[in-house]
Amino acid sequence: MPSGRFITLRAKPFKDADLILGVLSKYGERLTIMAKNALNSRRRFVGGVLEPLNFVELFYTQAKSGFLYLQEPRAIEAFSGLRQDYRKLEMAF
């Protein structure tokens, strides 16, 4: 199963319970990854790990069609200092 370390750029709801994640790799590559049932599954996606501006390690699979599907996320750094100051948060976005 492929994996990588990414910074989440956006988490956009899709259909009823899915999320589409926009992530940025350390090589500057932008990927779009589908997180199936992310809004309903409290066990797999615990503690806001898919929130924007988190540094995460993502384990994903690639379908034959080329879509990437998230299997397991792990939070590495939440950058909580960014969320406490509006100016820092604005600069990060």
Side-chain angles (χ1 to χ4, degrees):
M1 178 175 351
S3 69
R5 293 180 172 204
F6 302 95
I7 292 180
T8 55
L9 299 176
R10 91 166 89 154
K12 186 170 129 180
F14 181 73
K15 292 192 178 179
D16 291 332
D18 303 337
L19 283 176
I20 296 177
L21 300 174
V23 296
L24 182 68
S25 74
K26 66 180 179 180
Y27 304 110
E29 175 183 29
R30 285 189 70 168
L31 296 177
T32 302
I33 300 176
M34 172 76 74
K36 293 290 233 174
N37 205 22
L39 297 176
N40 292 338
S41 179
R42 301 286 183 227
R43 185 179 303 161
R44 281 179 42 204
F45 307 108
V46 63
V49 70
L50 299 178
E51 290 292 319
L53 298 178
N54 282 346
F55 184 52
V56 294
E57 183 173 12
L58 301 178
F59 297 91
Y60 56 91
T61 57
Q62 185 170 5
K64 291 181 182 179
S65 62
F67 289 120
L68 301 175
Y69 292 99
L70 181 63
Q71 298 300 317
E72 178 185 350
R74 288 189 190 154
I76 297 172
E77 179 68 42
F79 302 117
S80 60
L82 286 177
R83 290 176 175 83
Q84 294 173 356
D85 186 6
Y86 183 74
R87 290 184 183 168
K88 289 181 184 178
L89 186 62
E90 186 179 22
M91 291 297 292
F93 277 117

